[in-house]
Amino acid sequence: MPSPFATLLHPTRTTPPPVAIDLQRVVLVGTGIWLVAMLVTGVLAFTGEVEWDIVWVCATGVVLGLLGAAWARRHRPAPPATTTDEPPAQD
């Protein structure tokens, strides 16, 4: 017979359902942050404070973010099927 403390030592939990988020929006926010960083580092590079390499890193982040947003748009989950109790409208 199992010990009554076995469930306290090894609890079983069900995993929560995944959170529905708009991945494209998340990627675009990150891309916007890279764009702001690119503008700031561009001004700093223009004034000679930093090297131009850092601007290229930010530009790469912007390009990859745009590619990620396009991917997220193509792989968007299908909307849930809606069921109604009403019959379809007749013309």
Side-chain angles (χ1 to χ4, degrees), residues 46-60:
F46 188 72
T47 61
E49 295 294 321
V50 296
E51 297 293 324
W52 283 98
D53 293 346
I54 193 75
V55 180
W56 286 110
V57 170
C58 296
T60 303

Side-chain angles (χ1 to χ4, degrees), residues 18-89:
V19 178
I21 61 167
D22 184 7
L23 185 60
Q24 184 181 14
R25 181 176 292 172
V26 172
V27 172
L28 286 176
V29 168
T31 303
I33 293 170
W34 276 112
L35 183 62
V36 169
M38 185 175 74
L39 294 174
V40 169
T41 57
V43 169
L44 291 173
F46 188 72
T47 61
E49 295 294 321
V50 296
E51 297 293 324
W52 283 98
D53 293 346
I54 193 75
V55 180
W56 286 110
V57 170
C58 296
T60 303
V62 170
V63 170
L64 290 175
L66 292 174
L67 289 172
W71 181 88
R73 184 176 209 177
R74 275 198 319 269
H75 292 87
R76 194 174 287 200
T82 58
T83 57
T84 60
D85 294 333
E86 300 174 16

Side-chain angles (χ1 to χ4, degrees), residues 2-24:
S3 168
F5 298 109
T7 57
L8 293 175
L9 296 175
H10 304 287
T12 57
R13 298 184 182 129
T14 58
T15 58
V19 178
I21 61 167
D22 184 7
L23 185 60
Q24 184 181 14

